[in-house]
Structure formats: structure tokens, C-alpha cells
Amino acid sequence: KAFKSQMMSMYFLADAAGQAVNAQIVKFYSSATEVPYFLTIGTVSIVFGIILLFFVKKICHLMDDDGAAA
């Protein structure tokens, strides 16, 4: 309950960071580079997803509501 506003702030921060990254990489998009552009974005997304899979247990442990800090 004490962290609701902090979590909303983190949500907005993550959204802003995503938009900032998109504003930088969109410079590389054109009709001539459409396929490599989306292949690169898709590949990076898949790689980060796989990396996150390795941290699922640690993230779940950190989110556990037993009051223990890491």
C-alpha cells in the first residue's frame, strides 16, 4: 500500500524511457531499411526476453511479500 505511488512513477518512467529509445532508433527507419529495422528490433526484443527468463526466480523472490529484503 505504501508503494502505490512509487510503482505508478516507475510505470511512467519505464514508458518515458521506452519512448526516448524509440525516438532515437526511429532515425534508422526508411522504406529501404524497413525489413532490417524490424528484424533488428524483433531480435533485440527476443534476446532481452530470453535474458529475463534467466532472472524469473530472482525477480519472483524479490517480489515475495514475506518482508525480507535481498
Side-chain angles (χ1 to χ4, degrees):
K1 198 171 188 177
F3 297 109
K4 284 183 181 179
S5 62
Q6 187 178 27
M7 288 298 103
M8 281 303 298
S9 299
M10 291 299 293
Y11 170 79
F12 289 127
L13 180 63
D15 186 44
Q19 289 183 35
V21 169
N22 184 52
Q24 297 304 311
I25 64 173
V26 75
K27 298 173 187 175
F28 300 111
Y29 177 80
S30 71
S31 60
T33 61
E34 185 172 356
V35 173
Y37 176 81
F38 286 110
L39 280 175
T40 303
I41 291 174
T43 303
V44 169
S45 299
I46 291 170
V47 168
F48 277 121
I50 292 170
I51 291 170
L52 281 174
L53 283 175
F54 289 110
F55 291 104
V56 167
K57 286 185 180 182
K58 180 70 172 172
I59 292 169
C60 287
H61 175 70
L62 290 171
M63 291 175 59
D64 195 10
D65 197 25
D66 63 0

